[in-house]
Amino acid sequence: MPRAGLGHHPVTAPFFGLGQIEVARKRIDGHVRRTFTDLSPSLSNRMGQPVWLKLEHQQITGSFKLRGATNAVLALDDAARARGIVAVSTGNHGRALAHAARQAGARAVICMSNLVPQAKIDGIAALGAEIRIIGHSQDEAQREVDRLIAEDGMTTIPPFDHPEVIAGQGTLGLELLDDVPDVDTVLVQLSGGGLISGVAAAIKAHRPDMRIIGITMERGAAMHASLRAGKPVEVEELPTLADSLGGGIGLDNRFTFAMTRALVDDVILLSEEEIAAGICHCYYREGQIVEGSGSVGVAALLANKVRSNGPIAVILSGGNIDMTDHRTLVCGGAP
Ligand SMILES: *Cc1c(COP(=O)(O)O)cnc(C)c1O
């Protein structure tokens, strides 16, 4: 039986059909890696159900963000690509855009404030993007992006609230369906909602009975607060081990809020200790270096916060963690 969404809202959202996700899959084929889905013996024993891990932290640039960024860049016409792509992003989206633009022969300009650590700047520059350091805040950097759009005709690609980005992330859901068609419950990271919207749209088009659970942190979960409020709201951004899940969903959110509300069955929140345990489990039991945001699905299983009557799929969404921070976390020894 199809389940109603979180707030039992009908799917009236500017909703993405499977068609757009299938187009994305063909478009990005050969540009992104087809990642593996592996059985986790230790988590399967623990849950009494097969638990499958989608190893998306092994994606090129270290996260699934390359799927959406590549789809959006390749969907631009030649003239727009020649004028170039511009964005504010120091994280996985910035890395993905830099790589996708270079692969497509387009110029990419990433604007950042002077508060961004040198290691992050170097990482994005190494992928071939031009870096502009502007002012002391993200807002000042955003004004430079707005200027380049207005004056130079550059195009910006946002990290989640964009049809081609959502469709690109949805290709991960199609791969999961191919690999583990009998899954009952899928655990998906939830921040701005691009990943979960695309994955849920892909999966529910084929299997409306499959449960899609959003996983996020207690500290500063903007989508969770927005779902509660029934509209996009702002929350205070707090430091967290799941740093790729920080940030707001945009008060003028167009797609991902409505899609998440319609398609996601439940949301689970995690403490910092629980997230740390997820990172350590991935390292000691799975042999994988996974960032905090990438390991929240595993963390939710370890915290006994997931019930499932059948096989479970967990996405390891990213692996970009400062290796010194990672070493400090895992040096406490095996959990
Ligand atoms: C961006 C990101 C997420 C969250 O994706 P949204 O589309 O914003 O919900 C999860 N994990 C990693 C590693 C990310 O980079």
Side-chain angles (χ1 to χ4, degrees):
M1 194 191 82
R3 285 161 220 254
L6 266 180
H8 307 284
H9 292 274
V11 184
T12 54
F15 180 72
F16 292 87
L18 193 55
Q20 274 170 278
I21 302 171
E22 280 166 348
V23 168
R25 188 184 208 177
K26 290 203 189 76
R27 194 185 274 139
I28 69 178
D29 183 43
H31 296 270
V32 308
R33 188 172 289 155
R34 173 47 171 115
T35 53
F36 289 109
T37 309
D38 271 2
L39 189 69
S40 163
S42 87
L43 290 171
S44 300
N45 280 339
R46 184 185 176 95
M47 296 303 294
Q49 301 281 1
V51 176
W52 297 91
L53 304 177
K54 174 80 166 150
L55 305 181
E56 190 67 13
H57 64 300
Q58 296 177 356
Q59 186 53 264
I60 302 162
T61 72
S63 84
F64 72 89
K65 291 256 183 6
L66 188 66
R67 295 172 184 266
T70 300
N71 189 45
V73 168
L74 294 178
L76 295 173
D77 62 31
D78 291 347
R81 241 182 284 159
R83 288 192 298 272
I85 291 135
V86 63
V88 173
S89 173
T90 60
N92 287 336
H93 179 59
R95 295 172 64 87
L97 267 187
H99 180 84
R102 182 158 70 176
Q103 289 303 106
R107 174 178 171 220
V109 177
I110 306 290
C111 302
M112 312 179 179
S113 83
N114 62 11
L115 301 177
V116 173
Q118 191 63 37
K120 288 205 166 185
I121 299 175
D122 294 346
I124 292 178
L127 291 164
E130 283 173 47
I131 308 291
R132 288 212 188 158
I133 309 289
I134 308 281
H136 311 286
S137 71
Q138 176 124 344
D139 288 349
E140 283 177 76
Q142 183 62 47
R143 279 201 287 280
E144 175 69 1
V145 169
D146 296 342
R147 191 187 70 75
L148 288 165
I149 294 168
E151 293 177 14
D152 295 0
M154 297 185 81
T155 303
T156 193
I157 295 172
F160 53 87
D161 200 28
H162 182 287
E164 305 299 355
V165 171
I166 297 167
Q169 320 308 26
T171 62
L172 190 155
L174 295 180
E175 290 175 15
L176 256 185
L177 278 173
D178 287 347
D179 288 348
V180 282
D182 64 337
V183 156
D184 176 85
T185 302
V186 186
L187 307 185
V188 189
Q189 288 74 7
L190 177 58
S191 175
L195 177 63
I196 208 166
S197 295
V199 167
I203 288 178
K204 292 211 166 175
H206 290 282
R207 289 280 313 278
D209 57 319
M210 224 185 253
R211 292 164 68 226
I212 309 285
I213 312 289
I215 319 281
T216 191
M217 67 290 179
E218 287 169 357
R219 293 168 65 86
M223 183 64 89
H224 181 255
S226 301
L227 291 168
R228 280 265 166 103
K231 61 174 197 297
V233 295
E234 278 172 345
V235 299
E236 190 191 349
E237 201 170 335
L238 298 164
T240 168
L241 283 171
D243 52 343
S244 297
L245 302 184
I249 70 163
L251 292 179
D252 54 353
N253 187 291
R254 293 168 61 207
F255 306 106
T256 59
F257 172 71
M259 290 182 75
T260 302
R261 184 158 75 158
L263 296 170
V264 174
D265 295 279
D266 202 0
V267 176
I268 291 171
L269 303 178
L270 296 173
S271 69
E272 294 301 299
E273 292 70 29
E274 288 165 343
I275 297 167
I279 296 172
C280 289
H281 174 96
C282 287
Y283 183 70
Y284 285 106
R285 303 271 182 250
E286 314 295 343
Q288 305 290 343
I289 293 172
V290 183
E291 62 176 282
S293 308
S295 64
V296 293
V298 168
L301 294 178
L302 298 175
N304 294 319
K305 290 183 170 174
V306 178
R307 298 275 162 274
S308 178
N309 297 322
I312 300 167
V314 179
I315 299 171
L316 304 183
S317 59
N320 290 321
I321 183 167
D322 180 280
M323 289 310 288
T324 306
D325 293 346
H326 188 269
R327 196 167 67 122
T328 306
L329 267 169
V330 300
C331 274

